Amino acid sequence: MYEKRYPKESLPPGTSVPPNSPGSADERMESFFSQIANWRGARCSFSSGKVTYKRSKSNPSASEDRKHKSTMVPTRRSTSTKGPVATGSTRMVSVPEDDAPSLHSTTATTATATNTAEASEDDSDEGGEGEAVGSKNLFEILPDFGNTNTSSSEVIFISGESGTGKLCGEILELRLRNKDGYKALCDAILSAVGDEIVLLTKVVPVLKEVIDIPDDMNAVAEQGNKEAKERLKYGFLQFFRVISAHFDHLVIVLDDLQWTDAMSIELLDGIIGDKDIRTMFIGIYRSNEVDEAHYLSKTIRDLHAAKEKGGFEVTEISVGNLDVSVCEEILISLLSVDPSPASSRLAEICHKRTDGNVFHLLSYLTMLQEENLLQFHLGMFKWTWNCDRIEEETAASSNVVDLILAKIAKQPQEMKYFLQLVSCLGSSFEKDVVLCALPQMRDSTACECDMNELEDEVDELISLAIHERFLESQSDLRFCWVHDSIQEAALKQRFSESEIDIFKFKLGNALLQSLTEEDVENNVFDIVNLLTSIDECPEEDRATLLGLCLKAAKKSTELTSFDSCVIYAERGITLLPVEKWTQEREVSLELYSLITEAYLSIVNAEKMKVYADEVLHQSSLSELEKVRVHICIISLNAGVMNKAREALDMSIDVLRKLGCKFPKNKLLQARLAVSSVLGAKLPSEKDIAALSPMEDETRKACMEIMVNAATFSHHCNNIPAFIALNSRMAQWTMKYGVDVYSAPAFALFGMVKKSMSYKTAALYADRGFQLLDMCKEGKRTESRVTYISWFQIYPFSKPIHSTLKHLLRGYKVGMEVGDVESAMWNVSQYMCNSIVAGKALKPLAVDCVTYIEQMQMLKADFTYHMSLPFAQGVLNMIGDADDPLKLSGSAMIEEDFLAMIESSEGKFWSSLHLQIFKSMMCSFFGDFENGAKLALERGDVYEKKNGSPLAMTDTLHQGVSFYAMARKTKEKRYIKAAKKVKNKVVTWVKKGNVNAVHYLSFFEAEEAALEGKSESATELYPKAIISAARSGFQHDAALVSERYAEYLLHDLKENDSAGQYFQDSIQYYQGWGSDYKAEMLRKKYSYLWPDEIPKDITVNA
């Protein structure tokens, strides 16, 4: 259930929260929350508020022991929606108040259910493993989430076989406060989720009833499976961030996780790992249906491995069946009797019939009461029973299904038929569907029966089923089974297995004939499941069922349920005729393409290749028709297999097959790149505005392949191919019209033009954003255009501080549309530009850690590896390293990093970043000899290969080490290298690089100092310091002040002036956030000034 409660701060003193009224907005919100899990096949409860649990005294995180006071905890089935996978069942747990033994449990350990009640209170206080953990006292071992102030999340997995009572209950209540508060929450959701709210409504239709969605909110145009999956994850994560921020506590309970799929597990992993979502997650599953290879098993193992770094707790609880002694305790409590031989005998019979299964036990006791085998004697005012009679009359019932069948057999004929019909509709059903199906199943039509009478009849049947505890209500129109054992029994009554299949097929046809087209679409999974229940589909129904299977597979893909897509696509493929590629060409191609994409999404390469080969071997299909499959194979190599070079070669082969000739030979690629750059002419804004959309489907397919191939070429460091591909895309845009990939092509070509002119490069980037605005699907590639333009181009002609907000927007847009790769490039480059710009170190360190963890979670290995040196470099500057010259600390260990990137495609760039930041650490911390050595070894390869803003700060620190060593040793190699660096900066400034002006002043000062021109040096150093500080580069001002102070102290012997500039340097370092470096200078040079400056002084330039 879901009820909303606003933060306590917003409530007037003494105000109580009124209960919710039927049909109120919070009930609709309850329905929505439940569907979040149910569309995957898992039940869900959401609660918020205070809860008291008992926690072991030995657990250091618990402030004190608290005792849970509930005596009976019912769990109510939440509202569900039909999805690709069937939903599960409900549970009820008995929790005696006084008799429940106290149990020892420690977070992040596994407690085993032995279900004995022999542990004494003293035993429980002492703790120890192997104590009694049964269904009746699960609350005793749950973490104290509701009474802690920690910001970490709690993760609890409860496992056991069906019917053991794993769902603990409605733990917390979350109530809607008022209309104004409710509107505020909805507005916050819309603001955070944005256009992705439209996508969420496809997954959770009831959301439309909960939130008024503006008409101008539109979902992003259709994208590939990977992007769709990431968009859905982003939407849900944003949603939960809002919920978590609005409520005191958020508890998410998902039952029947054994039926979940990979996408659901990924979403769950994202919610748990997101530090902005503080929640208690309780996952419940059937241990006998989850083996070591199951998605869930791997997730639990991964969570245990990540819990310390992720800042959350993990607890596993295994719940087994009750033993005889606990069965007797339950009987004694329920019947209010004293222990006796009779109660022991009854407990033994109950245990024998039910194996101690909680649900079966309660069902068995209910049956005994209904059969008058267990009676309340009014005269004696107590419960009575005859054990011999019970054993005799229930001997034929070997399991609970037999008991339920016997109970159903005593129902009226109409009830038996009704139960069998709705049992075919899954674990939950809607009344309207039953109203449509019943007339057809009775061989009548809706016109022949009075719908009012029919509805009254159905209402009576449902009421009776609820009274008999077969069903329970989720809403006025939706109902579900109390337990799947009841559904199983209802399905098996009257018919054999073959007859059941025929009955299901008939029901599927009845729904197909009676439901509207929209309702068929909404219930397509159920209808297909019913119609495919028989082994052989009648020929006259084959075409219809084939179309439905295709619809179900497509809808599963839209919902990112790729496992279900595989199921429905395979069913459809079995219905295809032998000559499918001639008789059912279009349907066959669509089914095979869908299943190939689905297997790629769930990373089953072997299966994917089987279906891909089937398509590729069809000579009757054009290359354009095969493009979707080609892209899958290319993506498999680039992503899963991490083979960018092979992916690039495959892309070129496919381009050739589509008629777009592109050389494979690197020499020819280089010639093409040179001619493309030299012959390129910048189009005017007017020329761009006059372009029409690209219409030709083959060319549009080629554009998609080329833009991906350009990415592969960059990853494998094939610069000629990178230039030639982007040039080709820009040329095609001007010749054939605007495509969704035209904008990134212009931006990338601007990156190429940067080596000639910063101004021209920026104009190409401007044209890219103009094309983005012209394309109706422009948002799909906005993130990519953003990181190319605001990282590779604009920082060389605009203040680098202005780039940061744009890169963060690029990250947000990328996450919104599912372009995770571009989103991660944006934050990686945000970190890089922040370092160059001198952003305050401490908040930057938090940003680095946050984004690094996200890259790791999203498996964005390329950017993750490249960004680790950024993060550790920042941490080194604030003192998070034993050796400041070595990139080893909480973000990475240098040796482990080198081993990790050894076999990666991004090894070149990752190792280069490592060298750059090692060189920076040498410059900052005064090891100029090693800094110069590293710089000489590396040369200017980074600028030539990449040319990003990091090349600017790398050049600065190379120059610092070179000039320092040149002044110290007078060696020609250092003098030559220093002057080369200075000349490079001169070129930058002449070309309009506003971020390098203070570099030039600094290097001119260093050169004057090197040449003994003290008068010029003493003028140029202060000029460089002022220039850096005024431009916002206080970290550079700190470094230049330190270098000038060193010059004054050691070369000019002016101790007083040196002391003043050391103090200035300390203040700049403190203002930047490097107290560590400031303290190093203080300890080394404080003798130069009589009164030590206060440590808390900061300078904000």
Side-chain angles (χ1 to χ4, degrees):
M1 55 83 65
Y2 171 70
E3 294 178 347
K4 180 176 183 311
R5 181 166 65 80
Y6 273 82
K8 295 192 293 278
E9 299 83 6
S10 63
L11 299 176
T15 302
S16 61
V17 181
N20 299 318
S21 57
S24 61
D26 45 342
E27 289 188 338
R28 299 198 303 274
M29 183 68 88
E30 171 186 351
S31 175
F32 161 64
F33 268 106
S34 303
Q35 288 185 59
I36 289 178
N38 284 333
W39 67 279
R40 291 292 174 193
R43 272 183 294 110
C44 165
S45 297
F46 294 80
S47 312
S48 180
K50 287 290 183 182
V51 67
T52 303
Y53 297 116
K54 183 166 182 180
R55 199 165 193 171
S56 168
K57 291 180 180 177
S58 63
N59 192 325
S61 64
S63 59
E64 60 176 333
D65 286 344
R66 302 172 178 88
K67 189 167 184 179
H68 183 71
K69 296 298 182 184
S70 297
T71 57
M72 182 65 77
V73 186
T75 59
R76 197 173 58 191
R77 182 69 176 270
S78 299
T79 305
S80 67
T81 185
K82 292 295 181 182
V85 188
T87 57
S89 56
T90 191
R91 308 281 184 267
M92 180 170 282
V93 183
S94 175
V95 187
E97 178 178 356
D98 299 317
D99 294 339
S102 182
L103 298 170
H104 170 71
S105 172
T106 302
T107 302
T109 61
T110 301
T112 305
T114 60
N115 292 296
T116 60
E118 299 172 358
S120 67
E121 187 66 32
D122 291 338
D123 291 334
S124 68
D125 286 346
E126 292 175 8
E129 297 183 8
E131 294 182 290
V133 181
S135 299
K136 65 173 185 172
N137 43 38
L138 288 175
F139 280 107
E140 298 289 340
I141 57 178
L142 290 176
D144 198 13
F145 176 75
N147 289 286
T148 60
N149 294 318
T150 177
S151 61
S152 64
S153 294
E154 299 275 6
V155 183
I156 303 164
F157 288 99
I158 303 174
S159 62
E161 296 189 7
S162 173
T164 52
K166 300 178 296 296
L167 187 54
C168 300
E170 299 174 9
I171 300 179
L172 303 173
E173 290 188 355
L174 192 63
R175 294 196 174 100
L176 282 174
R177 177 67 178 89
N178 52 46
K179 290 183 179 179
D180 291 338
Y182 179 73
K183 184 179 184 301
L185 172 63
C186 293
D187 290 345
I189 291 172
L190 286 173
S191 176
V193 179
D195 288 341
E196 302 315 300
I197 198 74
V198 180
L199 179 63
L200 294 191
T201 59
K202 291 183 178 180
V203 176
V204 191
V206 77
L207 183 56
K208 296 176 183 176
E209 302 173 25
V210 177
I211 299 175
D212 292 327
I213 300 173
D215 295 333
D216 59 351
M217 281 196 164
N218 298 305
V220 177
E222 185 176 327
Q223 293 175 270
N225 287 359
K226 180 180 177 182
E227 289 79 10
K229 180 175 72 173
E230 297 302 336
R231 283 173 55 206
L232 185 65
K233 284 170 61 178
Y234 172 81
F236 272 120
L237 287 174
Q238 287 292 89
F239 181 88
F240 278 111
R241 285 168 186 152
V242 174
I243 298 301
S244 180
H246 273 67
F247 303 143
D248 291 339
H249 301 99
L250 174 65
V251 175
I252 305 173
V253 181
L254 293 181
D255 196 8
D256 291 326
L257 284 175
Q258 72 276 0
W259 292 332
T260 194
D261 62 2
M263 174 57 193
S264 300
I265 293 294
E266 282 190 39
L267 178 58
L268 164 63
D269 200 29
I271 292 171
I272 293 171
D274 194 312
K275 293 184 177 179
D276 292 330
I277 303 174
R278 182 176 182 253
T279 180
M280 174 185 280
F281 169 80
I282 300 179
I284 305 163
Y285 64 95
R286 298 180 182 179
S287 55
N288 55 319
E289 297 181 30
V290 175
D291 57 21
E292 288 300 308
H294 195 280
Y295 296 127
L296 185 59
S297 296
K298 182 180 183 301
T299 299
I300 294 173
R301 291 194 297 269
D302 292 345
L303 287 172
H304 274 296
K307 63 191 176 188
E308 185 174 344
K309 188 174 182 180
F312 52 82
E313 302 285 358
V314 182
T315 300
E316 283 191 74
I317 303 169
S318 179
V319 182
N321 289 336
L322 307 175
D323 63 14
V324 176
S325 62
V326 177
C327 286
E328 184 174 5
E329 285 190 38
I330 291 174
L331 290 172
I332 290 169
S333 178
L334 286 175
L335 305 179
S336 298
V337 297
D338 294 326
S340 66
S343 65
S344 298
R345 175 90 183 278
L346 179 59
E348 289 172 359
I349 296 171
C350 290
H351 189 270
K352 181 179 179 181
R353 296 285 184 264
T354 65
D355 288 328
N357 184 289
V358 174
F359 174 75
H360 295 181
L361 173 63
L362 296 176
S363 299
Y364 184 74
L365 291 173
T366 301
M367 183 273 298
L368 293 180
Q369 182 186 12
E370 291 171 349
E371 296 295 325
N372 293 320
L373 297 172
L374 181 63
Q375 295 179 300
F376 188 77
H377 195 289
L378 291 174
M380 300 171 63
F381 211 70
K382 68 175 184 178
W383 289 93
T384 62
W385 63 90
N386 185 309
C387 290
D388 292 334
R389 186 181 168 205
I390 289 173
E391 273 201 296
E392 180 182 347
E393 296 195 18
T394 63
S397 300
S398 59
N399 57 55
V400 76
V401 175
D402 292 334
L403 294 173
I404 298 169
L405 279 170
K407 182 176 179 179
I408 292 175
K410 296 176 182 178
Q411 301 297 319
Q413 188 65 28
E414 294 81 0
M415 171 60 81
K416 288 190 281 188
Y417 186 79
F418 169 77
L419 290 174
Q420 186 160 43
L421 186 147
V422 297
S423 69
C424 297
L425 297 176
S427 59
S428 64
F429 62 91
E430 292 181 357
K431 187 176 79 172
D432 290 346
V433 174
V434 178
L435 290 173
C436 289
L438 262 179
Q440 295 285 342
M441 295 298 287
R442 291 172 172 174
D443 297 324
S444 61
T445 65
C447 296
E448 294 173 349
C449 64
D450 186 308
M451 291 305 296
N452 290 329
E453 290 183 4
L454 179 64
E455 185 168 2
D456 289 342
E457 179 189 355
V458 170
D459 285 340
E460 289 180 11
L461 290 168
I462 290 174
S463 296
L464 180 58
I466 292 173
H467 176 75
E468 295 291 338
R469 293 186 289 278
F470 297 134
L471 301 175
E472 61 185 8
S473 173
Q474 294 180 317
S475 69
D476 290 342
L477 298 175
R478 178 172 287 279
F479 306 89
C480 66
W481 295 94
V482 171
H483 193 274
D484 55 359
S485 295
I486 301 174
Q487 182 189 1
E488 179 187 353
L491 186 63
K492 288 183 176 180
Q493 53 141 343
R494 299 174 57 205
F495 292 146
S496 64
E497 289 291 341
S498 59
E499 288 173 326
I500 289 173
D501 292 340
I502 295 171
F503 183 83
K504 286 182 176 180
F505 182 80
K506 183 180 178 182
L507 177 57
N509 268 320
L511 292 174
L512 192 60
Q513 293 170 25
S514 58
L515 293 175
T516 64
E517 185 175 341
E518 182 181 354
D519 287 335
V520 169
E521 183 73 23
N522 292 336
N523 293 275
V524 67
F525 300 117
D526 281 339
I527 294 172
V528 171
N529 291 338
L530 291 168
L531 291 176
T532 55
S533 58
I534 58 175
D535 294 332
E536 292 293 332
C537 175
E539 184 58 32
E540 62 270 20
D541 296 319
R542 186 192 63 81
T544 301
L545 184 52
L546 180 59
L548 288 171
C549 286
L550 180 57
K551 279 185 179 180
K554 284 183 174 180
K555 187 172 182 179
S556 297
T557 299
E558 290 174 5
L559 299 176
T560 69
S561 181
F562 304 118
D563 295 284
S564 296
C565 175
V566 166
I567 292 170
Y568 293 117
E570 284 182 338
R571 288 180 185 177
I573 288 171
T574 61
L575 293 169
L576 291 169
V578 176
E579 299 298 324
K580 53 181 171 285
W581 294 109
T582 54
Q583 297 178 22
E584 293 284 0
R585 175 193 176 95
E586 292 183 5
V587 175
S588 298
L589 178 61
E590 186 66 20
L591 283 170
Y592 273 85
S593 298
L594 280 169
I595 200 169
T596 301
E597 291 167 343
Y599 272 126
L600 173 66
S601 298
I602 59 179
V603 198
N604 189 328
E606 186 177 348
K607 289 272 190 167
M608 191 207 85
K609 288 178 180 179
V610 171
Y611 290 98
D613 289 343
E614 174 74 16
V615 174
L616 297 180
H617 290 156
Q618 301 307 314
S619 57
S620 61
L621 297 175
S622 68
E623 291 303 324
L624 180 60
E625 290 173 310
K626 298 176 182 178
V627 159
R628 286 170 66 183
V629 172
H630 279 305
I631 291 174
C632 285
I633 296 174
I634 292 169
S635 299
L636 179 70
N637 279 272
V640 179
M641 297 182 177
N642 206 18
K643 298 178 179 178
R645 289 180 178 81
E646 289 81 351
L648 175 60
D649 290 340
M650 288 180 182
S651 300
I652 294 173
D653 287 338
V654 175
L655 287 172
R656 287 176 170 179
K657 290 176 182 178
L658 291 169
C660 176
K661 295 182 180 179
F662 193 88
K664 263 192 174 182
N665 182 275
K666 282 193 175 182
L667 180 60
L668 296 177
Q669 289 173 355
R671 289 179 179 175
L672 180 60
V674 172
S675 63
S676 299
V677 173
L678 294 177
K681 181 183 177 182
L682 176 70
S684 66
E685 291 182 3
K686 188 175 179 181
D687 293 334
I688 295 291
L691 294 174
S692 301
M694 187 179 291
E695 300 291 347
D696 187 89
E697 292 298 327
T698 301
R699 291 194 182 101
K700 289 167 75 174
C702 287
M703 289 287 283
E704 181 178 1
I705 293 169
M706 281 193 284
V707 78
N708 289 325
T711 301
F712 306 148
S713 64
H714 182 267
H715 285 185
C716 63
N717 198 28
N718 186 338
I719 304 303
F722 176 79
I723 295 172
L725 284 163
N726 287 301
S727 174
R728 177 74 58 87
M729 286 188 285
Q731 291 169 3
W732 276 31
T733 297
M734 299 308 300
K735 190 173 182 180
Y736 302 118
V738 180
D739 180 67
V740 67
Y741 298 109
S742 295
F746 265 75
L748 285 165
F749 196 66
M751 189 173 136
V752 173
K753 282 286 190 176
K754 185 176 64 178
S755 60
M756 301 178 183
S757 167
Y758 296 154
K759 182 179 179 181
T760 302
L763 288 172
Y764 268 99
D766 292 344
R767 302 294 183 271
F769 280 109
Q770 184 182 356
L771 288 164
L772 204 62
D773 293 336
M774 292 171 60
C775 183
K776 65 179 182 180
E777 300 178 11
K779 193 173 181 180
R780 284 177 55 187
T781 54
E782 181 182 344
S783 182
R784 188 179 303 201
V785 175
T786 298
Y787 83 73
I788 296 166
S789 302
W790 287 100
F791 180 67
Q792 291 284 0
I793 299 173
Y794 289 142
F796 291 85
S797 57
K798 300 178 187 287
I800 196 165
H801 302 83
S802 68
T803 68
L804 303 182
K805 63 180 180 181
H806 295 283
L807 291 170
L808 288 178
R809 170 173 167 75
Y811 159 74
K812 181 177 183 293
V813 171
M815 295 301 293
E816 286 177 357
V817 302
D819 187 3
V820 171
E821 183 178 15
S822 295
M824 293 301 100
W825 276 109
N826 273 284
V827 288
S828 174
Q829 293 161 353
Y830 163 79
M831 287 187 274
C832 177
N833 283 13
S834 295
I835 292 169
V836 178
K839 181 178 176 179
L841 286 174
K842 291 174 184 176
L844 179 57
V846 174
D847 288 345
C848 286
V849 171
T850 300
Y851 293 129
I852 288 288
E853 288 178 353
Q854 190 174 24
M855 290 173 188
Q856 189 176 23
M857 182 182 73
L858 294 172
K859 297 179 175 57
D861 291 341
F862 199 93
T863 49
Y864 172 64
H865 293 159
M866 287 179 62
S867 303
L868 278 173
F870 298 169
Q872 190 55 54
V874 171
L875 293 172
N876 274 33
M877 288 305 303
I878 62 177
D880 182 18
D882 293 334
D883 181 353
L885 298 174
K886 190 173 182 179
L887 290 178
S888 293
S890 57
M892 61 174 273
I893 303 298
E894 199 171 299
E895 293 78 11
D896 295 344
F897 175 79
L898 289 170
M900 178 174 62
I901 66 172
E902 180 59 36
S903 59
S904 70
E905 285 289 340
K907 177 184 176 182
F908 173 82
W909 298 108
S910 301
S911 59
L912 200 54
H913 281 187
L914 177 68
Q915 294 174 44
I916 288 171
F917 276 87
K918 283 176 68 70
S919 181
M920 285 175 60
M921 294 305 105
C922 289
S923 171
F924 268 122
F925 292 107
D927 188 359
F928 301 121
E929 184 174 358
N930 275 320
K933 179 182 177 183
L934 288 169
L936 286 171
E937 290 173 353
R938 189 170 67 257
D940 55 2
V941 63
Y942 187 78
E943 184 191 8
K944 290 179 179 178
K945 296 280 188 182
N946 187 291
S948 77
L950 190 59
M952 289 192 282
T953 198
D954 181 35
T955 299
L956 171 66
H957 289 283
Q958 284 188 25
V960 170
S961 293
F962 286 147
Y963 275 112
M965 291 306 296
R967 277 164 52 188
K968 179 179 180 181
T969 67
K970 308 300 182 183
E971 291 185 23
K972 289 183 179 179
R973 58 174 177 159
Y974 295 129
I975 296 173
K976 181 180 178 181
K979 291 188 175 183
K980 183 180 178 181
V981 165
K982 180 203 160 190
N983 291 336
K984 185 194 301 183
V985 174
V986 169
T987 304
W988 288 353
V989 174
K990 284 182 178 179
K991 289 168 66 175
N993 189 335
V994 297
N995 298 300
V997 174
H998 64 284
Y999 290 6
L1000 182 56
S1001 298
F1002 175 45
F1003 287 155
E1004 286 175 343
E1006 287 283 316
E1007 189 163 299
L1010 175 64
E1011 294 174 353
K1013 300 176 181 179
S1014 59
E1015 186 175 342
S1016 295
T1018 53
E1019 291 180 3
L1020 290 168
Y1021 273 119
K1023 179 182 176 182
I1025 295 168
I1026 293 170
S1027 176
R1030 286 180 176 173
S1031 300
F1033 298 95
Q1034 65 175 321
H1035 62 317
D1036 292 342
L1039 183 60
V1040 178
S1041 296
E1042 181 185 357
R1043 290 292 301 148
Y1044 185 33
E1046 293 276 1
Y1047 175 65
L1048 290 169
L1049 179 65
H1050 299 296
D1051 290 58
L1052 302 186
K1053 311 301 182 184
E1054 297 181 7
N1055 290 16
D1056 291 343
S1057 297
Q1060 181 59 53
Y1061 277 99
F1062 275 126
Q1063 291 180 73
D1064 290 348
S1065 179
I1066 288 171
Q1067 293 180 55
Y1068 282 125
Y1069 277 125
Q1070 286 178 331
W1072 183 34
S1074 184
D1075 294 337
Y1076 179 69
K1077 171 67 177 179
E1079 188 61 26
M1080 289 178 68
L1081 290 179
R1082 194 190 311 275
K1083 287 181 178 179
K1084 187 174 181 180
Y1085 296 111
S1086 60
Y1087 69 89
L1088 293 172
W1089 53 89
D1091 298 314
E1092 188 174 345
I1093 59 174
K1095 294 185 179 181
D1096 59 349
I1097 291 180
T1098 59
V1099 175
N1100 293 310

